[in-house]
């Protein structure tokens, strides 16, 4: 998986040294994780391009090309509706991440992530619920937990306008966006290889005026997370991280982190991720404890998610304390929620 | 240039016209991708089919299209090639009106056409294929129970429930 996707975000990729049998094995994984078009991009100019697996990847690329064209029309429409109501919005992830690639069809996205001023949030939701906007899958945010120390005004001040059709689209600034992509990757346990490709694509296309201090922010732990995600893109996907200042270079990544990510990439399916991986809701065990042990085992946290959830550092220390901390947090949330429900 | 002996009008009511409405068209280096918003179907037109589709302006007949195609592809083109393209475009609802193929085209499919035209013409054989593939995994992170949603695909449970005026993931 890592070898197939290495450097896949570049216009001209490096040679791909995998066999047809290996491509056959990796194709379903690429498909399931939304990386099929990137797979096609990698094989398109190799002797694997005429194989049945390559044909499947090519179809994904074609579909994504159409989906991307459809999404762009929807983004244009949403921004027109918001502009008419004088509602400010900043577009993040999805289309913005797709723009980091040499071809917009390479990076699929399902919904349109928009960030609104808190005071505009309800108006925005009303607009999004209107009949004209119902065909647009918009995920409205008034904040991002990944960027919790950055206010909307700060994000807005650093955002910029780009043209899309007849509309001006406001997109998140490069510094904040790289921070968001990096922390989002770790927050979700880095199970989707596409997210690490996003970081590789972002780090290799930074604008000349990119401000690392803005990107890394004031929170030291989060800054280290961002640096860690960037190093991960180098380690697994051969990203060229030379824009990262030497003072921020890590000595090496913890081996457990690399091994956990690769283990997840062996089966990068959404169904393996919580809460879909949970056999049934925790509350149901209060009535019928049968299967509780299995339910608890399924809830044992991924070490990456556990580290982020307790604001931990990605270092060489064992993850058990972080995983226990994560369990304690979730248990407290569960019982608090139960008390509220019953009370 | 090989031509068929009996020229017929392109359609019973006039020359073919490409459908424009409710289509998303994406031009790629070697092909044209078309998404039919009405029928929710995606098609891939190879270069020859795309060229013929492009010629369908409601004024150009099959014979004139054959000449244009020859010049564009720089190979001899049989008029039946144009008819084969028109037939496929019509069957996939990419023309404003269904075409009526001339008698010489009745019952001829693409394979038979390739055989009849010979290997030299194969490069010019038009192909309109449907793009059918599993839906690529949604790129967004799935949402947990109680989180607002607009559709099922956004939810980890694949179930976006309407509760009052709001919709949340089950």
């Amino acid at each position: 998986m890592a070898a197939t996707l290495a450097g896949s975000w570049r216009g001209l990729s490096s040679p791909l040294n995998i066999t047809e049998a290996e491509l056959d094995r990796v194709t379903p994984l690429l498909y399931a994780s939304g990386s099929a078009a990137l797979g096609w991009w990698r094989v398109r100019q190799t002797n694997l391009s005429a194989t049945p697996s390559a044909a499947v990847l090519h179809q994904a690329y074609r579909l994504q090309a159409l989906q991307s064209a459809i999404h762009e029309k929807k983004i244009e429409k949403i921004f027109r509706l918001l502009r008419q109501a004088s509602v400010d919005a900043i577009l993040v992830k999805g289309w913005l991440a797709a723009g980091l690639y040499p071809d917009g069809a390479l990076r699929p996205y399902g919904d349109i992530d928009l960030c609104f001023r808190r005071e505009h949030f309800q108006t925005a939701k009303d607009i999004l619920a209107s009949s004209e906007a119902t065909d647009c899958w918009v995920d409205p945010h008034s904040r991002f937990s990944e960027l919790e120390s950055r206010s909307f005004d700060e994000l807005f001040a650093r955002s910029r306008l780009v043209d899309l059709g007849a509309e001006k689209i406001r997109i998140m600034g490069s510094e904040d966006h790289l921070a968001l992509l990096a922390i989002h990757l770790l927050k979700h346990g880095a199970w989707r290889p596409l997210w690490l490709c996003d970081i590789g694509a972002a780090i290799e296309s930074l604008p000349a005026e990119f401000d690392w201090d803005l990107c890394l922010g004031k929170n030291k732990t989060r800054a280290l997370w961002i640096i860690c995600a960037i190093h991960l893109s180098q380690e697994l996907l051969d990203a060229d991280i030379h824009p990262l200042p030497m003072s921020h270079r890590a000595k090496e990544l913890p081996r457990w982190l690399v091994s956990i990510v690769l283990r997840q990439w062996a089966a990068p399916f959404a169904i393996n991720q919580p809460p879909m991986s949970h056999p049934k809701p925790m509350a149901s065990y209060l009535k019928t404890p049968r299967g509780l042990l299995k339910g608890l085992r399924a809830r044992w946290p991924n070490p990456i998610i556990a580290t982020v959830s307790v604001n931990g550092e990605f270092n060489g220390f064992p993850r058990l304390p972080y995983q226990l901390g994560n369990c304690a947090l979730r248990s407290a949330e569960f019982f608090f929620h139960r008390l509220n429900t019953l009370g | 240039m090989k031509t068929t002996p009996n020229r017929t009008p392109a359609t019973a009511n006039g020359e073919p016209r490409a459908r424009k409405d409710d289509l998303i068209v994406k031009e790629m280096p070697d092909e044209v991708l078309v998404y039919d918003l009405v029928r929710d179907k995606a098609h891939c037109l190879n270069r020859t089919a795309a060229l013929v589709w492009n010629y369908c302006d409601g004024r150009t007949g099959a014979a004139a299209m054959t000449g244009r195609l020859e010049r564009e592809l720089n190979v001899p083109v049989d008029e039946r090639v144009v008819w084969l393209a028109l037939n496929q475009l019509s069957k996939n609802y990419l023309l404003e009106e269904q075409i009526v193929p001339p008698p010489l085209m009745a019952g001829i499919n693409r394979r038979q056409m390739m055989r009849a035209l010979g290997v030299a013409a194969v490069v010019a054989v038009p192909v309109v294929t449907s793009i059918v593939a599993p839906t690529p995994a949604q790129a967004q992170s799935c949402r947990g129970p109680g989180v607002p949603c607009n559709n099922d695909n956004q939810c980890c449970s694949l179930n976006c429930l309407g509760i009052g005026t709001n919709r949340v993931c089950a």
Side-chain angles (χ1 to χ4, degrees):
Chain A
M1 189 74 159
T4 308
L5 291 176
S8 57
W9 54 84
R10 296 177 192 138
L12 286 172
S13 310
S14 46
L16 179 61
N17 296 316
I18 62 167
T19 64
E20 186 175 346
E22 285 168 333
L23 181 65
D24 290 344
R25 276 204 304 277
V26 84
T27 293
L29 306 182
L30 291 169
Y31 229 110
S33 61
S35 317
L38 282 172
W40 164 248
W41 197 249
R42 284 286 270 140
V43 303
R44 76 194 195 285
Q45 287 169 342
T46 70
N47 55 3
L48 294 172
S49 64
T51 61
S53 286
V56 170
L57 299 174
H58 196 179
Q59 287 290 61
Y61 170 72
R62 289 182 176 119
L63 272 180
Q64 283 179 206
L66 286 170
Q67 284 172 337
S68 136
I70 294 166
H71 278 132
E72 288 190 347
K73 286 192 181 301
K74 291 180 177 176
I75 292 170
E76 200 181 333
K77 179 167 78 171
I78 284 294
F79 269 81
R80 176 173 51 80
L81 294 172
L82 294 169
R83 177 176 51 78
Q84 286 165 351
S86 301
V87 171
D88 292 326
I90 305 173
L91 187 137
V92 301
K93 298 194 287 187
W95 183 73
L96 184 51
L100 299 169
Y101 294 79
D103 182 327
L106 295 177
R107 206 284 189 193
Y109 50 97
D111 55 8
I112 304 165
D113 284 283
L114 295 178
C115 185
F116 299 101
R117 283 183 199 283
R118 201 171 292 276
E119 57 268 33
H120 286 171
F121 196 68
Q122 191 52 52
T123 313
K125 282 178 76 175
D126 292 343
I127 292 167
L128 299 177
S130 68
S131 58
E132 206 176 347
T134 47
D135 64 333
C136 304
W137 301 358
V138 178
D139 192 0
H141 304 266
S142 60
R143 59 180 286 275
F144 291 102
S145 60
E146 292 91 339
L147 304 177
E148 65 181 11
S149 60
R150 307 172 197 218
S151 70
F152 182 90
D153 285 337
E154 285 175 312
L155 298 177
F156 191 84
R158 297 195 284 260
S159 66
R160 58 199 169 91
L161 288 169
V162 294
D163 290 318
L164 177 60
E167 281 300 319
K168 293 270 186 207
I169 309 297
R170 184 169 291 282
I171 56 171
M172 183 172 265
S174 307
E175 291 86 357
D176 296 314
H177 197 231
L178 177 55
L180 176 61
L181 293 175
I183 299 174
H184 182 264
L185 167 93
L186 297 173
K187 183 182 149 188
H188 290 282
W191 71 268
R192 200 189 283 273
L194 186 66
W195 294 332
L196 200 59
C197 292
D198 287 348
I199 294 171
I203 193 83
E204 291 188 13
S205 59
L206 297 181
E209 68 281 9
F210 190 83
D211 185 332
W212 279 102
D213 290 336
L214 278 181
C215 174
L216 299 176
K218 292 167 190 153
N219 183 313
K220 192 186 159 216
T221 305
R222 284 171 179 250
L224 291 173
W225 290 352
I226 297 165
I227 291 168
C228 176
I230 291 170
H231 277 94
L232 200 54
S233 72
Q234 179 195 39
E235 174 87 15
L236 294 180
L237 299 178
D238 193 30
D240 176 2
I241 65 164
H242 85 270
L244 183 66
M246 287 306 288
S247 56
H248 295 311
R249 300 278 173 93
K251 283 185 191 143
E252 63 178 297
L253 284 170
R255 297 322 299 170
W256 65 264
L257 176 62
V258 174
S259 109
I260 290 284
V261 173
L262 288 178
R263 200 186 308 155
Q264 294 202 94
W265 287 9
F269 310 121
I271 199 153
N272 290 345
Q273 303 306 315
M276 286 172 84
S277 57
H278 300 165
K280 55 183 188 173
M282 202 64 205
S284 65
Y285 296 116
L286 296 176
K287 285 183 188 163
T288 320
R290 196 173 160 193
L292 176 63
L293 271 180
K294 192 180 167 197
L296 287 174
R297 205 176 306 130
R299 284 170 171 79
W300 184 242
N302 167 314
I304 304 172
I305 296 175
T307 304
V308 171
S309 70
V310 296
N311 276 316
E313 282 188 21
F314 288 92
N315 52 31
F317 291 120
R319 293 297 102 183
L320 184 62
Y322 299 96
Q323 289 170 298
L324 291 173
N326 173 276
C327 288
L329 268 178
R330 284 159 55 215
S331 303
E333 277 172 16
F334 173 74
F335 287 112
F336 184 72
H337 179 74
R338 289 293 298 171
L339 281 175
N340 271 351
T341 312
L342 296 172
Chain B
M1 179 177 99
K2 293 180 196 171
T3 53
T4 51
N6 298 317
R7 298 290 173 91
T8 48
T11 67
N13 303 315
E15 309 301 2
R17 184 187 296 277
R19 187 179 141 207
K20 302 278 183 201
D21 293 338
D22 299 316
L23 295 178
I24 300 277
V25 180
K26 184 95 179 171
E27 292 196 18
M28 310 299 279
D30 303 318
E31 57 198 19
V32 169
L33 307 177
V34 184
Y35 187 76
D36 185 336
L37 292 164
V38 176
R39 289 170 184 82
D40 206 21
K41 284 197 169 161
H43 307 286
C44 177
L45 282 56
N46 75 353
R47 187 164 176 232
T48 306
L51 285 169
V52 171
W53 196 45
N54 197 36
Y55 301 153
C56 292
D57 56 6
R59 298 187 303 271
T60 308
M65 287 185 193
T66 307
R68 287 180 72 177
L69 201 53
E70 275 195 328
R71 287 190 293 279
E72 193 91 38
L73 297 177
N74 206 22
V75 290
V77 176
D78 190 296
E79 191 176 315
R80 286 175 294 180
V81 167
V82 170
W83 278 111
L84 185 65
L86 291 172
N87 200 27
Q88 291 180 78
L89 292 167
S90 178
K91 278 184 181 167
N92 287 292
Y93 302 96
L94 297 176
L95 298 179
E96 287 288 353
E97 290 180 18
Q98 296 286 300
I99 62 151
V100 181
L104 74 147
M105 290 298 297
I108 293 187
N109 61 28
R110 195 169 69 220
R111 189 165 297 179
Q112 291 164 327
M113 169 73 77
M114 286 166 73
R115 216 175 290 139
L117 296 177
V119 179
V122 166
V123 287
V125 169
V127 183
V128 178
T129 48
S130 288
I131 307 177
V132 183
T135 309
Q138 298 295 332
Q140 79 275 22
S141 324
C142 63
R143 301 173 192 181
V147 179
C149 55
N150 298 317
N151 58 70
D152 291 345
N153 290 334
Q154 294 172 331
C155 303
C156 301
S157 61
L158 297 176
N159 191 4
C160 180
L161 294 171
I163 299 176
T165 55
N166 297 320
R167 298 188 76 194
V168 293
C169 290

